[in-house]
Amino acid sequence: MKDIQISPSEWEVMRVVWTTHPITSKEISRILNEKKDWKLATTKTLIGRLVKKGMLTTAQNGRQYDYSPAVTEDESLKEASEHLLNQVCTRKVGELIEMMLESRTLSIKDLESLEKIIQMKKENAPEVVACGCITGQCTCS
């Protein structure tokens, strides 16, 4: 993926397509109707944007189109997390991760996995993370 930004509504469509594909616009709309009060036209607009962005592929199936993901959910999650982390001072990344952990419920398995990663990271962690911001972007300097 090449730093493709998608809106929260586009994420909703992608989550359906990642789960069930190939899938038609009507099927996507029906699934999202439980959560969103969107007309079929709204769903089709979002699908069109995702196709233009290279997130979805299309295949004609008679008079309708079937949609499939052009990128995996893991690729998209990694891209989104990198985008978010690149927007904060490197010294605030730890705080951001803390906030994320505090605001969500995690399974025992998730927590054990995080503990392992933290232990591995501790082996090579610096005392202080260097700030990569330019003057005026943060309060580090």
Side-chain angles (χ1 to χ4, degrees), residues 70-89:
V71 296
T72 67
E73 185 174 18
D74 285 346
E75 288 173 308
S76 297
L77 290 172
K78 183 174 183 186
E79 181 80 27
S81 64
E82 283 295 319
H83 180 74
L84 175 62
L85 293 172
N86 287 337
Q87 298 205 24
V88 299
C89 174

Side-chain angles (χ1 to χ4, degrees), residues 9-114:
S9 295
E10 291 167 340
W11 272 102
E12 293 289 343
V13 171
M14 288 304 300
R15 290 181 62 196
V16 172
V17 179
W18 283 319
T19 303
T20 308
H21 61 274
I23 187 168
T24 66
S25 58
K26 284 183 182 177
E27 291 169 318
I28 295 168
S29 184
R30 182 186 52 76
I31 291 168
L32 288 174
N33 198 38
E34 290 182 35
K35 187 175 184 181
K36 301 286 184 182
D37 189 28
W38 293 341
K39 305 275 186 238
L40 178 58
T42 302
T43 303
K44 286 183 175 184
T45 298
L46 294 167
I47 291 168
R49 290 180 191 163
L50 290 164
V51 169
K52 283 182 184 174
K53 292 178 180 185
M55 298 290 292
L56 293 177
T57 61
T58 61
Q60 193 161 3
N61 185 2
R63 291 184 46 179
Q64 64 187 13
Y65 286 93
D66 289 334
Y67 299 94
S68 295
V71 296
T72 67
E73 185 174 18
D74 285 346
E75 288 173 308
S76 297
L77 290 172
K78 183 174 183 186
E79 181 80 27
S81 64
E82 283 295 319
H83 180 74
L84 175 62
L85 293 172
N86 287 337
Q87 298 205 24
V88 299
C89 174
T90 52
R91 287 189 178 177
K92 299 215 182 252
V93 168
E95 285 179 48
L96 177 61
I97 293 169
E98 282 179 39
M99 286 182 223
M100 293 169 87
L101 288 172
E102 288 173 352
S103 68
R104 295 292 181 247
T105 302
L106 300 171
S107 69
I108 296 294
K109 183 179 175 184
D110 290 337
L111 293 170
E112 288 171 348
S113 177
L114 288 168

